[in-house]
Amino acid sequence: MKFFIDTANLQQIKEANDLGILDGVTTNPSLMAKEGIKGEENILKHYVTICEMVGKNVSAEVISTDFDGMVKEAKKLSALHPAIVVKIPMIKDGVKALKWCSDNNIKTNCTLVFSAGQAILAAKAGANFVSPFIGRVDDSNWDGVQLIEQIVHIYGNYGYKTEVLAASIRNPLHIVRCAEAGADVCTCPLSSIMGLLKHPLTDIGLQQFLEDHKKSQA
Ligand code: G3P
């Protein structure tokens, strides 16, 4: 399973990248705003900085909601760096824009996906990634991981090439359960990635090893 980090924070991207296990980055307009990045020029520059840090799979989202606007933005974003993946929302014109990008060799990530039906449309339109938001599904009292299982199953039935990118991850257990469900990618906050490290028996065991080593040196 690939690991993406879901942030526009350069410090956090660096920390995850330094671990050596990072395969990409996803951003969205809310995450960009959280970092205080304002104005088109600064936003585009920020994407390039992330691309240069990570080198692959950097999702940058369009703001337009009509076909022509989305295509115009997709061209501009994809020209920034070869690592750019254009994030397009699951709306009617978004499906058309996904197909246009697929026909014109622009990589895409279909975002704001909350049902298997939407995931089928994304795959049919040739999206490279589909992003079901599992945390938000859980928040609405449905089962986010079950949605991942369903999409993985359907894509397997037809050999769809679209990668299932579990998004809106809230904790380390989400990552493990998405891996069990066969997600191709998880995009996670740094806290969830680091949370995978934690086990009290590791800490207790390490402390014991170090104490015993000290005794053998006395
Ligand atoms: O990648 C999508 C993600 O950013 C949404 O996460 O936590 O806002 O539901 P969240």
Side-chain angles (χ1 to χ4, degrees):
M1 186 173 68
K2 290 177 193 151
F3 268 45
F4 293 177
I5 187 167
D6 194 28
T7 184
N9 182 286
L10 299 181
Q11 193 80 33
Q12 291 188 11
I13 293 169
K14 184 180 178 324
E15 194 173 335
N17 203 29
D18 285 351
L19 267 183
I21 51 99
L22 196 66
D23 301 295
V25 177
T26 50
T27 65
N28 61 40
S30 305
L31 293 171
M32 295 293 276
K34 200 170 156 193
E35 298 310 312
I37 304 148
K38 289 191 187 120
E40 194 189 355
E41 201 181 319
N42 290 331
I43 289 173
L44 298 181
K45 252 194 238 165
H46 199 76
Y47 288 142
V48 173
T49 305
I50 297 173
C51 288
E52 284 168 355
M53 285 172 79
V54 178
K56 56 191 170 184
N57 299 319
V58 176
S59 285
E61 189 158 341
V62 299
I63 306 302
S64 305
T65 53
D66 64 295
F67 174 78
D68 290 337
M70 283 191 254
V71 164
K72 197 172 158 200
E73 281 190 69
K75 285 183 192 164
K76 192 180 229 178
L77 290 168
S78 62
L80 288 176
H81 193 281
I84 289 285
V85 178
V86 181
K87 221 171 174 186
I88 295 181
M90 173 38 73
I91 55 177
K92 191 174 172 188
D93 277 29
V95 173
K96 294 183 197 170
L98 287 167
K99 180 68 172 76
W100 186 92
C101 288
S102 163
D103 291 343
N104 288 275
N105 292 318
I106 293 178
K107 278 196 186 168
T108 55
N109 172 358
C110 179
T111 190
L112 289 168
V113 167
F114 294 92
S115 75
Q118 291 178 324
I120 292 171
L121 278 179
K124 289 287 291 175
N128 296 83
F129 298 97
V130 66
S131 289
F133 279 23
I134 71 160
R136 293 191 195 183
V137 171
D138 285 357
D139 292 345
S140 307
N141 204 23
W142 277 280
D143 186 338
V145 175
Q146 206 170 60
L147 175 60
I148 298 293
E149 282 168 8
Q150 199 183 8
I151 297 169
V152 167
H153 179 79
I154 292 168
Y155 281 13
N157 284 348
Y158 299 102
Y160 288 140
K161 298 276 182 290
T162 304
E163 292 187 59
V164 180
L165 192 171
S168 184
I169 296 279
R170 299 280 161 81
N171 54 57
L173 192 56
H174 262 157
I175 302 176
V176 174
R177 292 196 58 220
C178 284
E180 281 179 330
D184 299 289
V185 192
C186 263
T187 189
C188 329
L190 183 63
S191 57
S192 299
I193 298 175
M194 292 306 181
L196 291 173
L197 278 169
K198 288 183 197 158
H199 199 290
L201 291 179
T202 303
D203 300 335
I204 293 167
L206 181 61
Q207 197 182 348
Q208 185 71 59
F209 286 156
L210 294 178
E211 278 168 17
D212 289 344
H213 174 72
K214 213 188 270 176
K215 280 181 212 156
S216 72
Q217 300 301 302

